[in-house]
Amino acid sequence: MANLITLFMLWLSMISAIYNVKLIAHGSIEGGSTRFYDFKVQTKRDTKLCNSKDIITVNGMFPGPVVYAQEDDRIIVKVTNKTPFNVTIHWHGIRQKLSCWYDGPSLITQCPIQSGQSFTYNFSVVQQKGTFFWHAHVSWLRGTVHGAMIVYPKAGVPYPFKFPYQEHVIILGEYWLQDLQEIENATLASGGPPPKADAYTINGHPGPNYNCSANDVYQIDVIPGKTYLLRLINAGLNTENFFVIANHNLTIVEADAEYTKPFTTDTVMIGPGQTLGVLVSANQPVGKYSMAVAPYESGKVVIYQNVSAIAGFNYIGAPSDSLSLPAKLPKLDDEMAVKTVMDGLRSLNQVNVFKEIDKYLFITIGLNVQKCHSKTPKQNCQVMHNGVLAASMNNITFVNPNISILEAYYKKIKGTYTEDFPDTPPKFYDFVNGAPNNIPYDTQSLNGTRIKVLKYGSRVQLILQDTGIVNTENHPMHFHGHSFYVVGYGTGNYNPLTAQFNLVDPPYMNTIGVPTGGWAAIRFVADNPGVWFLHCHIDIHKSWGLGMVFIVNNGKGELESLPHPPPDLPQC
């Protein structure tokens, strides 16, 4: 009887795989088409970790629905807000060529969609394919308002790697028992750090290491000898994560929706906002194997959730009562494991990175401590020396305006922002080891909505430098509206005389983890007119002000100019 069940499961799996292959290879999703989606942002009663609570979701799903498309498709998504909270949706990694109005970050490119209102996002995935995701971009709503977005190559265009037997989306997340908006508001009011997550999740499931979660486990059933493509997405709020599968290697073939030279490793670290495509061969003895997610503890003064999320990578034919082989994780502060993967990322083909540079920028990133101005410091100034935590770029803490910067720019509304974001920090010193820490007197930052204007077509080199004013840590920096070549990175302070650059085959990314106590050098062409946010994708850092905005001016003619705003653009 057991053999019959095994054969039946094998048959089902083969039928499913054949269907998946036909869907992609035979072009059921054809490029140049228009895809319509209807998103209803609504509350859902969710039971997890021995507790029930209302969470905000899209269409009652956590994670939310997958958006499928093909390269060059137009995507139209009507978003209706049925919650009491403001909401926007960002299409993470989509460059939004000439469609800046639909990028989604609240008060950067649009006012939020208010309760009871709707807004239709309308954009094309121009010359892009791979693993993306969408998420809320206001407050901390994206903790539960997120989902995958998979863009396939055009019909008849193969992957540049062995065609997988099946594909699976793997979304890493964090889960809190408390309401996320309450956590964010309480954290900012306290002046101190946020609480750690109550659990990590894999496709919304925490796995058996947490209370009341023995059956709340995600699993993939695999056939011996087959190869699978896992589309990894880190949708977590505040934690970068290691991901491993017991006794199995991961071959990276895609990073941030761009193909890479195949690179094989046993561990990957993926920060919030990053995506990876990895091939996994089911080449081990038939059995059950654990997939594990744990924190990368790059911040020495940060409190992390140390209990791992677990999912199953189970071979069909394994005895149902067999135990899963545990996954071996690296040390949770293992910087070398992170560097090894970064060293292995290379663009699939040789690229022509520009060598002549029109604009040089050097931007420090990190945390600050502000002076306490509260009359109740025990409640509102809970960090060292009765200070208030903040974050900054070039010592400027970003402050959200009252209307969207894009609307103010387009309509020439004065007083919303200033065009004086500095090209360099106010002073140079040993950013990593000799940072001032006489808190709070010389760890202050300046508050402001300062932006940097770029001429259309400018070739830009940007150095991002981590600082140790409060705490060195890895910062996943995400750039809207553009991808960039990561031409260099290293530990310590950036030194142009010794820094080594790769201008031959650097990875082309939209989110770069700036190394702990180190730097990253990126190059991009400012060829997309509009207003574009550059920020840390650790949400508490963004809430504290670790972000800035570029305005790319219009070029010549319609194809180099920001179009008119849509008629249903939400109002503040």
Side-chain angles (χ1 to χ4, degrees), residues 362-531:
F362 185 98
I363 299 181
T364 54
I365 57 176
L367 305 188
N368 301 78
V369 178
Q370 311 277 46
K371 291 180 183 177
C372 179
H373 297 292
S374 171
K375 294 179 180 177
T376 54
K378 286 186 177 179
Q379 286 77 41
N380 308 119
C381 308
Q382 293 182 10
V383 78
M384 59 278 283
H385 298 277
N386 291 330
V388 175
L389 280 172
S392 66
M393 300 180 68
N394 274 353
N395 219 43
I396 308 296
T397 293
F398 184 79
V399 177
N400 276 326
N402 295 319
I403 63 169
S404 90
I405 294 175
L406 180 58
E407 197 168 353
Y409 166 65
Y410 182 82
K411 294 180 179 178
K412 297 180 170 58
I413 299 171
K414 302 295 183 184
T416 302
Y417 60 85
T418 57
E419 298 181 358
D420 57 349
F421 185 87
D423 291 357
T424 58
K427 60 182 179 180
F428 282 78
Y429 51 87
D430 182 349
F431 295 111
V432 176
N433 304 302
N437 56 12
N438 183 15
I439 297 166
Y441 302 104
D442 56 5
T443 61
Q444 293 262 116
S445 55
L446 301 173
N447 294 333
T449 311
R450 302 193 188 187
I451 59 96
K452 170 60 61 180
V453 178
L454 296 174
K455 184 179 177 182
Y456 183 92
S458 296
R459 294 162 295 186
V460 181
Q461 175 173 292
L462 167 57
I463 307 297
L464 293 164
Q465 173 71 60
D466 187 28
T467 63
I469 294 174
V470 175
N471 178 43
T472 58
E473 62 182 293
N474 191 292
H475 292 278
M477 299 298 295
H478 174 54
F479 191 17
H480 292 232
H482 297 76
S483 293
F484 47 77
Y485 289 109
V486 182
V487 296
Y489 50 89
T491 56
N493 299 301
Y494 172 72
N495 183 342
L497 299 178
T498 58
Q500 295 185 335
F501 282 6
N502 172 14
L503 302 181
V504 177
D505 59 353
Y508 197 48
M509 307 180 79
N510 61 65
T511 305
I512 175 62
V514 179
T516 305
W519 56 272
I522 66 174
R523 290 187 184 182
F524 65 93
V525 178
D527 59 358
N528 196 3
V531 171

Side-chain angles (χ1 to χ4, degrees), residues 9-84:
M9 292 297 291
L10 274 166
W11 179 79
L12 274 181
S13 183
M14 288 172 68
I15 292 296
S16 170
I18 290 167
Y19 175 77
N20 287 342
V21 168
K22 284 182 176 178
L23 175 69
I24 302 165
H26 292 259
S28 296
I29 301 176
E30 295 182 356
S33 302
T34 300
R35 311 282 160 198
F36 295 92
Y37 289 88
D38 188 22
F39 278 17
K40 289 183 170 54
V41 185
Q42 58 196 77
T43 57
K44 172 198 173 186
R45 197 71 180 167
D46 190 54
T47 300
K48 217 171 283 296
L49 310 178
C50 312
N51 286 270
S52 293
K53 69 165 189 171
D54 287 335
I55 62 172
I56 310 300
T57 67
V58 166
N59 298 350
M61 299 169 65
F62 170 62
V66 180
V67 171
Y68 290 103
Q70 197 169 24
E71 182 179 1
D72 290 337
D73 277 356
R74 176 172 294 279
I75 297 174
I76 297 175
V77 186
K78 181 180 180 182
V79 177
T80 303
N81 184 6
K82 296 189 166 188
T83 76

Side-chain angles (χ1 to χ4, degrees), residues 185-359:
N185 293 336
T187 299
L188 295 178
S190 75
K196 64 184 180 183
D198 292 298
Y200 302 113
T201 58
I202 301 173
N203 284 348
H205 302 276
N209 287 346
Y210 299 98
N211 290 339
C212 304
S213 301
N215 297 316
D216 198 352
V217 185
Y218 177 75
Q219 73 174 48
I220 298 173
D221 294 317
V222 301
I223 296 175
K226 301 298 184 183
T227 297
Y228 296 81
L229 174 63
L230 305 187
R231 297 181 180 272
L232 304 178
I233 298 167
N234 191 334
L237 283 179
N238 292 329
T239 308
E240 298 174 300
N241 292 111
F242 288 114
F243 175 86
V244 298
I245 303 178
N247 282 25
H248 288 76
N249 284 330
L250 313 170
T251 299
I252 300 171
V253 292
E254 177 199 307
D256 281 1
E258 295 287 343
Y259 293 137
T260 63
K261 290 181 173 67
F263 176 73
T264 301
T265 177
D266 58 3
T267 304
V268 296
M269 193 286 285
I270 180 169
Q274 293 182 312
T275 70
L276 288 173
V278 300
L279 294 175
V280 183
S281 293
N283 56 10
Q284 296 299 303
V286 170
K288 295 182 178 180
Y289 298 84
S290 293
M291 296 188 281
V293 171
Y296 169 41
E297 299 186 353
S298 70
K300 307 308 178 195
V301 301
V302 180
I303 300 172
Y304 295 93
Q305 170 59 263
N306 284 326
V307 178
S308 302
I310 301 294
F313 191 79
N314 299 341
Y315 284 63
I316 291 174
S320 58
D321 58 351
S322 59
L323 297 176
S324 280
L325 188 72
K328 185 179 179 182
L329 287 155
K331 285 181 60 180
L332 299 184
D333 61 353
D334 190 344
E335 294 177 14
M336 189 53 64
V338 178
K339 182 181 184 300
T340 298
V341 172
M342 195 62 214
D343 286 347
L345 291 184
R346 294 283 186 270
S347 286
L348 179 64
N349 301 309
Q350 185 169 328
V351 294
N352 232 345
V353 181
F354 58 84
K355 296 178 176 64
E356 293 184 10
I357 295 168
D358 303 310
K359 188 69 178 176

